Amino acid sequence: LRLDASNLPAFARGCAVLAAGASGDPELGLVIALRAVEEHGPIEVIDPADLDDGALVMPCGAIGAPTIADERIWNGDEGGVLRDAVERLHGSTVRALMCFEIGGANGLLPVGWAARLGLPLVDADGKGRTFPGLHQQAMHLAGVPAGPMAMTDGRGNTLVLRAVDEGWAERLARGVAASLGGVCAGALYCMPAERARTATVAGSPARAVAIGQAVAGTREARRRPIAIADALGAAMLIEGRLVDVERRAGHGFVQGAATVQGAGRDAGRQLRLELQNEYLLALEDGEVRAAVPDLICVLAGDTGDPIATEGLRYGQNVAVIAARAPDIWLTGDALALVGPGAFGYEVEYASV
Amino acid sequence: LRLDASNLPAFARGCAVLAAGASGDPELGLVIALRAVEEHGPIEVIDPADLDDGALVMPCGAIGAPTIADERIWNGDEGGVLRDAVERLHGSTVRALMCFEIGGANGLLPVGWAARLGLPLVDADGKGRTFPGLHQQAMHLAGVPAGPMAMTDGRGNTLVLRAVDEGWAERLARGVAASLGGVCAGALYCMPAERARTATVAGSPARAVAIGQAVAGTREARRRPIAIADALGAAMLIEGRLVDVERRAGHGFVQGAATVQGAGRDAGRQLRLELQNEYLLALEDGEVRAAVPDLICVLAGDTGDPIATEGLRYGQNVAVIAARAPDIWLTGDALALVGPGAFGYEVEYASV
């Protein structure tokens, strides 16, 4: 796979779908990435098996408040600053970048940085989607340490963080991001390629492109939700209209629920979505129809555009789809990290 | 000079005087330092001339809110964590610690750390007193870079900060301190001994001990303000009673003014003190009697105990003394950094 002007818009659309409802618009990141490939040429997306065992892989992206990230003007040098800091910390050359989170804007930023640095992007990410927690990553599950983490604002300020545990890493990283203006660029879970082959969610960038291309290849806009579901191997949970949205912001998270009233062949059915930044549970008649880490997406019924939790409005026509999580998230340990219980829901995970 | 149980209480008393009214009680630091010398033996206080040119000197202390520092229980390992981080950053062994700020609690913490690490303390500091700004240091004036700064909470969390300028260094350091619980241990302006010989305020620890010993040697408590003034070579500005205190907290700073009505031979005179965390100006009939960086101290009239700006109360009997700043603070560049203008006062500095 090679990312260039021909498929970056599709990639960005795929990243938006994989955000699972999290805010963090990939549009700005797309503009930066397009500009970067125009100036520096396309980005090779490579299998980590094609790198030497010891080749240093740098997972990176934005850390902080996504709503601020949407308005943050990056200068494009952030990736280089992070690379320099990581090389200093590891005493080794960075051979490839990786998105630590493929969903939303975080799928795009590393692409622009890779283009500018002339480095390939590994065809994997840390989450396969978006999760709110910095440590909700496949690397964490595999025992790769998050630190030393490098963070920069791209204005010349750089911080390196070594935390005693993942809870502190998260707390300190958010504190640093706040000091740096609400959001910053960060590199964490740096590891040799040998580990990146198994301690990551494989194929996420390619999956994002496939989703976006499925949309682009579907002329009739109303057919796009189904095209996206097909590309993801997802089930269509319901098509209908939003009849209730309750949402409250607190502790930097959007929490709430939304109810979809079925229409057409789904008439008479009701699906309730539980959300915390992302869509985490889909319930029907009190039964779990889909649960995190399965990917639950709300798509606009007439365009297939993914609707973020913050974009839900009463009366919208929507299609709700759910795709089975990558296998790496389905072990007991993984479900303890990213399953319903990790978000405070007392329900059992059952694959969609 | 050697610091041990026999002179640490005097040293602590001197540090309290050199705080110039800033809060940050040396009591807790004294307890830690006494415990450390009991377990590890006395601390040698050495002239930087006695170190090899290239020997790495680590200025250190607490960064953050002094009122939280007063209640913060340090575990004593902070100095070791900072030392390890600094050695990693500089690829060189730390040969001596230094107080970056002799005033208040910051004079004591490095002493306890030095004892536990078996390292000497340099007979100098970065300020010769307390200033609110992290960069209001002789090292900054001499062009020694503040970063990379190491910070730790002593619980295993460590951050390293490289800032684009001193304003960002201060902002980020305070943000990090806030994330670490309001206050943290920090090392900054690390430098070879060669630089520490000129880029510091020489003799501050010895001066602190001398002040404290002058107090201890003065049986009659009412004579202690004069003993302190003598030890400091300070002028007695006024003895009298506090008849007005106005104080407001904002942006993490205490701001305000206090008026002392002269008594005894000072009857009929009034001295107005302008304060911002520290005592910065002493005015009489609109004329400047003393101005920062000269050290202005308010001492309890009946005990000589220094009174912090937050401890001022209507009706207190006080003696106000002012000591000429060390020469290093009297150049044009130095006054731009720590003179009245640096605190927003439109008055000329004139030595007391």
Side-chain angles (χ1 to χ4, degrees):
Chain A
L1 178 64
R2 172 179 283 198
L3 290 173
D4 58 24
S6 75
N7 59 4
L8 273 171
F11 175 72
R13 190 179 279 262
C15 291
V17 170
L18 293 171
S23 57
D25 190 344
E27 267 317 300
L28 185 58
L30 174 58
V31 171
I32 297 171
L34 285 170
R35 176 71 183 273
V37 300
E38 190 184 312
E39 286 181 13
H40 303 275
I43 301 110
E44 297 296 333
V45 182
I46 61 169
D47 190 307
D50 295 340
L51 288 165
D52 290 340
D53 284 3
L56 190 59
V57 173
M58 183 177 95
C60 51
I63 295 172
T67 45
I68 296 174
D70 285 355
E71 298 177 3
R72 174 81 156 78
I73 305 302
W74 302 93
N75 70 17
D77 291 334
E78 297 84 4
V81 174
L82 292 177
R83 191 259 314 259
D84 293 349
V86 164
E87 291 189 344
R88 206 158 44 212
L89 288 167
H90 291 263
S92 169
T93 306
V94 169
R95 299 294 183 192
L97 303 193
M98 188 180 105
C99 306
F100 70 69
E101 174 175 85
I102 193 71
N106 267 345
L108 274 294
L109 283 171
V111 169
W113 295 336
R116 292 180 65 139
L117 295 174
L119 286 172
L121 192 76
V122 166
D123 192 18
D125 84 319
K127 304 184 175 188
R129 50 171 289 165
T130 300
F131 287 122
L134 212 51
H135 66 292
Q136 289 176 311
Q137 306 225 15
M139 290 82 87
H140 172 63
L141 195 64
V144 177
M149 272 170 72
M151 282 167 284
T152 184
D153 59 0
R155 285 184 290 259
N157 296 307
T158 312
L159 286 107
V160 170
L161 196 165
R162 292 169 204 262
V164 67
D165 61 33
E166 304 295 337
W168 273 104
E170 180 114 25
R171 179 173 166 182
L172 294 173
R174 293 192 187 282
V176 167
S179 300
L180 288 173
V183 69
C184 67
L188 65 169
Y189 293 108
C190 293
M191 62 197 150
E194 191 179 14
R195 302 231 57 194
R197 287 171 204 149
T198 54
T200 59
V201 179
S204 306
R207 193 172 307 119
V209 171
I211 295 165
Q213 287 178 338
V215 173
T218 308
R219 279 272 179 87
E220 201 185 338
R222 291 154 42 102
R223 298 280 310 159
R224 286 180 184 157
I226 286 170
I228 291 170
D230 287 349
L232 275 168
M236 179 64 70
L237 296 187
I238 198 166
E239 291 178 284
R241 208 165 66 88
L242 272 170
V243 293
D244 193 31
V245 179
E246 43 177 292
R247 205 165 28 200
R248 53 195 180 280
H251 302 292
F253 286 86
V254 177
Q255 296 199 306
T259 304
V260 180
Q261 177 79 53
R265 60 178 180 183
D266 291 327
R269 291 178 49 211
Q270 264 203 349
L271 193 75
R272 178 179 165 89
L273 298 166
E274 294 285 340
L275 55 98
Q276 289 180 33
N277 281 9
E278 289 90 52
Y279 302 108
L280 298 181
L281 287 184
L283 304 162
E284 184 167 3
D285 300 327
E287 298 283 309
V288 176
R289 292 291 312 277
V292 67
D294 283 359
L295 179 80
I296 303 172
C297 296
V298 177
L299 307 171
D302 47 357
T303 63
D305 288 340
I307 301 173
T309 55
E310 294 190 56
L312 295 174
R313 300 286 178 270
Y314 176 85
Q316 279 168 327
N317 284 315
V318 299
V320 182
I321 64 172
R324 191 168 180 272
D327 287 345
I328 205 167
W329 289 134
L330 303 183
T331 66
D333 283 352
L335 290 171
L337 183 66
V338 298
F343 298 92
Y345 299 115
E346 292 178 357
V347 304
E348 286 287 307
Y349 167 80
S351 180
V352 69
Chain B
L1 180 63
R2 171 179 283 197
L3 290 173
D4 57 25
S6 74
N7 58 5
L8 273 170
F11 175 72
R13 190 180 278 262
C15 291
V17 170
L18 293 171
S23 58
D25 190 342
E27 268 316 301
L28 185 58
L30 173 59
V31 172
I32 297 170
L34 285 170
R35 176 69 183 273
V37 299
E38 189 184 313
E39 286 181 11
H40 304 275
I43 302 110
E44 298 296 332
V45 181
I46 60 170
D47 191 306
D50 295 339
L51 288 165
D52 290 341
D53 283 4
L56 190 58
V57 172
M58 182 177 98
C60 51
I63 295 172
T67 45
I68 296 174
D70 284 356
E71 298 177 1
R72 174 83 156 77
I73 304 302
W74 303 92
N75 71 17
D77 290 335
E78 297 83 5
V81 174
L82 293 177
R83 191 260 313 261
D84 293 348
V86 164
E87 291 189 344
R88 208 157 44 212
L89 288 167
H90 290 263
S92 170
T93 305
V94 170
R95 299 294 182 193
L97 304 192
M98 188 180 105
C99 306
F100 71 69
E101 174 176 85
I102 194 72
N106 268 344
L108 273 295
L109 282 172
V111 169
W113 296 336
R116 291 181 65 139
L117 295 173
L119 287 172
L121 192 75
V122 166
D123 192 18
D125 85 318
K127 305 184 174 187
R129 49 171 288 166
T130 301
F131 288 122
L134 213 49
H135 66 293
Q136 289 176 311
Q137 307 226 15
M139 291 81 87
H140 173 63
L141 195 64
V144 177
M149 272 169 72
M151 282 167 283
T152 184
D153 58 0
R155 284 184 291 259
N157 295 306
T158 313
L159 285 107
V160 170
L161 196 166
R162 292 169 204 263
V164 68
D165 61 33
E166 304 296 336
W168 272 105
E170 180 114 24
R171 179 174 165 181
L172 292 173
R174 292 192 188 282
V176 167
S179 300
L180 288 174
V183 68
C184 68
L188 64 170
Y189 293 109
C190 293
M191 62 196 150
E194 192 179 14
R195 303 232 56 195
R197 285 170 206 150
T198 54
T200 59
V201 178
S204 308
R207 194 172 307 118
V209 170
I211 295 166
Q213 287 178 337
V215 173
T218 307
R219 280 271 177 89
E220 202 187 337
R222 291 154 42 102
R223 298 280 309 159
R224 286 180 184 157
I226 287 171
I228 291 170
D230 288 348
L232 276 167
M236 179 64 69
L237 297 186
I238 198 166
E239 292 178 283
R241 209 166 65 90
L242 273 170
V243 293
D244 194 30
V245 180
E246 43 176 292
R247 206 163 28 196
R248 53 195 180 281
H251 301 291
F253 286 87
V254 176
Q255 296 198 308
T259 304
V260 180
Q261 177 79 54
R265 60 179 180 185
D266 293 325
R269 291 177 49 213
Q270 264 202 350
L271 193 76
R272 179 179 164 89
L273 299 166
E274 294 284 339
L275 55 99
Q276 290 180 33
N277 281 9
E278 288 90 52
Y279 302 108
L280 299 180
L281 287 184
L283 305 161
E284 185 167 2
D285 300 326
E287 298 284 310
V288 176
R289 293 290 312 278
V292 67
D294 283 359
L295 180 79
I296 303 171
C297 296
V298 178
L299 306 171
D302 47 357
T303 63
D305 289 340
I307 301 174
T309 55
E310 295 190 55
L312 294 174
R313 299 286 178 270
Y314 177 85
Q316 279 168 326
N317 285 314
V318 299
V320 182
I321 63 172
R324 190 167 179 272
D327 288 345
I328 205 167
W329 289 133
L330 302 183
T331 66
D333 283 352
L335 289 171
L337 183 67
V338 298
F343 298 92
Y345 299 114
E346 293 178 356
V347 303
E348 285 288 305
Y349 167 79
S351 179
V352 70

